[in-house]
Amino acid sequence: MGFKAVILDLDGCVYKGRKPVEGAAEALDTLRDMGLKLLFLTNNATRTVEDYVAKLNAMGIRCVESEVLTSGYATSIYLADRYGRVRILPVGGEALEKELSRMGHEVLDWRKGGDPEFVVACLDFGFSYEKLKRACLAIFRGARFVATNTDPTLPVEDHLLPGAGSIVAAISKATGKRPLVIGKPSRRIMDIALRRLGVDGSETIVVGDRLSTDVRAGKRISAFTVLVLTGASSLADLERWRGGQPDLILNSISELPKALKRLGEF
């Protein structure tokens, strides 16, 4: 199959909340030793690239900034590539604002409003009716609606929390507008990821814990898809799933190197 790179989800795949998945660090080191490029690709835009690098290294998982792509950063890249520098009203925290500024966009203060060209929404732990109102008013006046992702939930240590999809849905319901989605399973973020890695989809392994985002995104780029059972999707979900089936199902990411060797790839 000629694999050259692995695209890995974070929440529910490499770690859950503040705890790394057992054996993750060792497995990722082994993948590097096998000659594979790694890219950590997360829909969670509540942290910056630098935040994720620090978090992973603190867990004993080696990582540098060029190996992390968040949906917030991907949104910043996509808008810059497509529209140049634009004015954005963010519905998110400080991390989203920093990632949008990274590509030179003008990020407006949601308290003051302004005249945004885009409203960009992500998981926002400080979401309020006032933010909802400001976002909706901007869209009513012609701003385009963009979502970093629409994940319904966020896996943490031993349960699930409401995800960005719940906030995006509130804005969509009030305005009647469907957002342009950048994060997984969109092809938009996957193309940015492949460009960064310098590989084709068929040369890539996509690993994640959610059928509707990770596996579906991998299928869209003709990658080899791996579902790990440490996060959002379970075997029961797999039985009900009507999308493309993962190419491999593992209990956790710790099993990936041996599984690839069994397939005769290394």
Side-chain angles (χ1 to χ4, degrees):
M1 299 181 192
F3 296 134
K4 296 180 180 179
V6 184
I7 296 176
L8 301 129
D9 183 43
L10 286 175
D11 293 295
C13 178
V14 174
Y15 57 70
K16 296 180 71 175
R18 293 184 292 274
K19 295 182 179 180
V21 169
E22 185 175 355
E26 294 81 3
L28 294 171
D29 282 343
T30 301
L31 293 176
R32 293 182 192 278
D33 292 341
M34 292 161 69
L36 291 163
K37 298 179 182 179
L38 302 186
L39 181 68
F40 299 100
L41 180 63
T42 177
N43 269 358
N44 189 336
T46 63
R47 295 174 183 263
T48 65
V49 168
E50 293 84 356
D51 292 336
Y52 279 113
V53 171
K55 179 174 182 174
L56 287 166
N57 279 288
M59 291 178 173
I61 296 169
R62 290 191 292 135
C63 176
V64 295
E65 291 180 13
S66 61
E67 294 176 322
V68 176
L69 179 64
T70 71
S71 64
Y73 188 19
T75 298
S76 189
I77 293 170
Y78 178 85
L79 292 177
D81 287 348
R82 192 75 180 269
Y83 303 102
R85 295 179 179 178
V86 296
R87 295 185 308 280
I88 301 173
L89 181 69
V91 179
E94 184 179 351
L96 177 64
E97 296 175 10
K98 287 182 177 179
E99 295 292 26
L100 294 174
S101 298
R102 197 185 293 271
M103 296 301 295
H105 302 300
E106 181 182 355
V107 180
L108 304 176
D109 186 337
W110 66 268
R111 299 169 188 83
K112 299 177 182 177
D115 184 27
E117 298 167 85
F118 291 86
V119 170
V120 174
C122 75
L123 178 57
D124 184 357
F125 298 121
F127 190 58
S128 64
Y129 183 82
E130 187 64 24
K131 280 191 177 182
L132 174 62
K133 182 181 77 174
R134 295 280 186 176
C136 292
L137 288 174
I139 294 169
F140 289 146
R141 292 168 183 156
R144 302 184 194 187
F145 182 24
V146 177
T148 64
N149 72 97
T150 55
D151 290 4
T153 56
L154 173 70
V156 292
E157 283 85 349
D158 56 0
H159 58 280
L160 297 173
L161 296 175
S166 58
I167 291 169
V168 172
I171 299 171
S172 184
K173 183 68 174 180
T175 61
K177 300 290 185 179
R178 296 178 62 183
L180 174 73
V181 181
I182 304 300
K184 297 176 287 185
S186 170
R187 179 75 192 237
R188 299 175 183 93
I189 196 170
M190 300 307 290
D191 284 341
I192 293 170
L194 292 176
R195 193 167 70 212
R196 174 170 289 196
L197 287 164
V199 298
D200 294 329
S202 60
E203 299 171 318
T204 308
I205 302 165
V206 174
V207 186
D209 67 301
R210 196 185 293 269
L211 289 162
S212 60
T213 54
D214 304 308
V215 172
R216 181 170 281 164
K219 294 294 182 183
R220 285 182 172 166
I221 60 169
S222 301
F224 184 86
T225 57
V226 180
L227 176 70
V228 291
L229 301 176
T230 46
S233 295
S234 66
L235 289 176
D237 295 322
L238 189 62
E239 292 176 2
R240 298 187 292 266
W241 177 244
R242 294 295 176 263
Q245 295 292 304
D247 296 297
L248 187 63
I249 303 166
L250 300 175
N251 289 317
S252 84
I253 194 174
S254 65
E255 300 175 350
L256 182 58
K258 288 184 178 179
L260 293 177
K261 290 175 181 178
R262 284 198 301 271
L263 290 172
E265 284 303 299
F266 298 91

